[in-house]
Amino acid sequence: MTNLISNRDARRVFLAKQGLSTPPNRALTKAGLLQLIHDIGFVQVDSIGTVERAHHQILFSRNQTYRREHLTELLEKDGALFEHWTHDASILPSAFFVYWKHKFRREEQLIIERWRKWRGEGFESAFDETYERVLQGGPIMAREIKADGHVSGGWWNWHPNKTALEYHWRTGKFAIAGRTNFQKIYDLVERVIPAEFHAPEVDHDVFVDWACRSALQRLGFATSGEIAAFWDLITPQEAKTWVDVHRDELCEVLIEPALDGKPRPSFAFADFPATLDNYPEAPARLRVLSPFDPTLRDRNRSERLFGFFYRIEIFVPEPKREYGYYVFPLLEGDRLIGRIDMKADRKAGTLDVKRLWLEPGIKPSAGRLEKLEAELQRVARFTGVEKVVLMDGWRG
């Protein structure tokens, strides 16, 4: 028998899995922060600082007592976290490092083939020299070994040593020892990741089982495609095969969508229907999410669950943008109710709110606007500015 899961229950489960259902004002210790990241799975890293960098905002939206220095210590001092790729650059628990060894091995040849097309023959000329430089000289940033006269640009214009640093990082020979003004500091992986996390590489079946099982634990329910996409470590076919092999541990569920449409067939662990009541309701407060929040990473899934269409418009030409360059989703309780365009002006000490858009059917009641104002004040304090400025026309 296939269980029908109501949309409200599905949202409640997913938000709890995403760390958005615990009291956001409960004191968060450094150990608690590590546990939070472990439970979520990963925290995406992004350089845009319109209000706050993505990784800090993702964590702050879950707990307003989050302290940036705890994250820095876990990454750069304790080695309990490491930075690498899922679907994008992310912060991950070092306890997962052994599984990334499969990614390193799989990526090594793929990167060589892709980058040769991008950079041309001989692009790997500085690989050995750069490795030796780090081996002998210790941590280094790309700018410290840039050839004279090279004009910096984006990823398409890396100098040979930067290319080498990125290659050795992406294939597991180097790790990120820290960042200065958001620029990576590279070092040998064995000098960054503590020895306790350097377990021998597990075999392929164990790796696939972990990737699928850990993804489903963090999603609550999912299709095989959603399982594969969570870490972006395995192929959709590998996930499909895993589901087929482990059907005795799983049950089929139908997930009711937020808007019109048929319930979506998905899989969950066998005890899932019996444990639905164990998941708490999300706090009623209103919260600003990062555009890179993991709740929204799978855009199609979040649209089905919340009825909320969201795209980042950074690369959309300004005249064609529907909303704005970097617009933040608004979560109230278990619903995504709108989006807001704002920017921290650190010189002026203000959080400038340019525009608010509420979803159809969401009213700008006095109570809701008070909750929004309280959240904006919290964000302003976290960002380090003194006051919130509501600009002319911000209500649209």
Side-chain angles (χ1 to χ4, degrees):
M1 178 181 175
T2 301
N3 293 275
L4 177 65
I5 308 299
S6 72
N7 180 253
R8 183 173 181 180
D9 281 344
R11 294 198 314 269
R12 180 165 52 84
V13 169
F14 186 51
L15 289 174
K17 294 286 188 180
Q18 285 296 309
L20 286 162
S21 294
T22 53
N25 55 355
R26 181 183 294 169
L28 184 68
T29 63
K30 186 169 76 168
L33 174 61
L34 178 60
Q35 186 64 51
L36 172 60
I37 295 172
H38 180 279
D39 293 345
I40 298 170
F42 60 86
V43 175
Q44 187 170 333
V45 176
D46 192 79
S47 62
I48 297 173
T50 302
V51 170
E52 185 54 85
R53 298 211 193 271
H55 45 294
H56 293 312
Q57 189 174 359
I58 288 167
L59 295 167
F60 174 76
S61 65
R62 283 153 176 78
N63 192 297
Q64 69 186 53
T65 74
Y66 159 68
R67 294 168 59 183
R68 297 173 185 81
E69 58 267 30
H70 283 164
L71 185 68
T72 301
E73 288 174 14
L74 289 166
L75 274 164
E76 300 181 15
K77 180 182 176 183
D78 304 342
L81 299 171
F82 75 106
E83 186 178 325
H84 219 279
W85 284 82
T86 54
H87 57 291
D88 272 303
S90 298
I91 294 167
L92 299 139
S94 294
F96 301 165
F97 182 74
V98 63
Y99 301 106
W100 258 250
K101 292 183 178 182
H102 277 263
K103 184 178 182 69
F104 302 151
R105 185 163 45 80
R106 180 180 283 180
E107 285 284 293
E108 194 160 357
Q109 192 56 41
L110 290 174
I111 288 175
I112 289 288
E113 293 171 1
R114 285 199 304 264
W115 290 13
R116 183 171 286 122
K117 292 177 182 177
W118 158 42
R119 296 296 301 272
E121 292 294 334
F123 78 94
E124 63 269 54
S125 60
F127 280 15
D128 292 343
E129 166 210 334
T130 304
Y131 183 86
E132 192 65 25
R133 174 114 179 228
V134 174
L135 174 66
Q136 301 297 332
I140 203 166
M141 288 190 289
R143 70 187 186 194
E144 298 176 81
I145 50 175
K146 183 171 72 172
D148 292 340
H150 181 87
V151 178
S152 296
W155 60 266
W156 59 89
N157 196 32
W158 287 343
H159 57 80
N161 295 101
K162 167 67 172 176
T163 304
L165 290 168
E166 282 289 307
Y167 173 78
H168 290 316
W169 172 50
R170 296 186 192 211
T171 56
K173 299 178 184 68
F174 289 170
I176 306 304
R179 285 178 180 262
T180 298
N181 296 326
F182 210 69
Q183 293 188 43
K184 299 189 192 89
I185 302 169
Y186 302 84
D187 200 357
L188 298 184
V189 69
E190 54 267 30
R191 294 200 290 236
V192 177
I193 308 293
E196 64 193 276
F197 301 119
H198 285 277
E201 184 177 326
V202 299
D203 69 36
H204 184 262
D205 287 345
V206 172
F207 161 67
V208 171
D209 183 66
W210 176 85
C212 293
R213 194 175 297 275
S214 60
L216 187 54
Q217 287 167 345
R218 287 163 177 80
L219 291 167
F221 49 85
T223 66
S224 60
E226 289 168 349
I227 290 172
F230 184 83
W231 300 112
D232 196 26
L233 288 174
I234 59 172
T235 66
Q237 184 56 51
E238 286 172 323
K240 186 175 184 301
T241 300
W242 180 85
V243 167
D244 291 340
V245 169
H246 293 86
R247 290 299 288 270
D248 60 331
E249 296 182 58
L250 307 175
C251 66
E252 293 186 42
V253 291
L254 290 171
I255 307 299
E256 183 183 40
L259 303 177
D260 294 336
K262 295 181 179 179
R264 187 171 181 82
S266 298
F267 298 96
F269 288 110
D271 64 348
F272 176 73
T275 61
L276 272 178
D277 292 341
N278 296 347
Y279 296 95
E281 297 283 352
R285 76 157 54 178
L286 194 152
R287 284 181 273 185
V288 175
L289 300 184
S290 165
F292 294 102
D293 195 285
T295 305
L296 296 157
R297 189 198 68 76
D298 187 333
R299 301 285 192 242
N300 292 330
R301 178 184 169 98
S302 62
E303 190 173 346
R304 286 194 305 274
L305 283 178
F306 298 98
F308 185 77
F309 178 84
Y310 183 77
R311 297 292 183 272
I312 296 175
E313 297 182 289
I314 294 169
F315 300 112
V316 177
E318 187 170 357
K320 294 184 178 181
R321 288 176 190 150
E322 185 176 0
Y323 297 105
Y325 172 78
Y326 198 73
V327 174
F328 301 84
L330 297 176
L331 177 71
E332 182 184 43
D334 65 353
R335 295 192 298 169
L336 287 163
I337 63 159
R339 59 205 87 201
I340 193 167
D341 187 0
M342 59 186 184
K343 184 176 182 178
D345 185 338
R346 289 176 173 81
K347 288 184 178 179
T350 58
L351 180 65
D352 298 335
V353 177
K354 301 177 182 178
R355 180 74 187 274
L356 169 70
W357 297 267
L358 294 176
E359 289 290 278
I362 302 296
K363 297 179 180 180
S365 64
R368 178 165 283 130
L369 292 177
E370 284 177 9
K371 288 200 289 186
L372 175 60
E373 182 181 354
E375 173 69 354
L376 294 175
Q377 293 291 348
R378 286 189 289 266
V379 171
R381 285 193 296 271
F382 180 67
T383 305
V385 297
E386 297 170 5
K387 62 180 180 177
V388 175
V389 174
L390 304 175
M391 303 182 75
D392 289 345
W394 76 281
R395 290 274 301 276

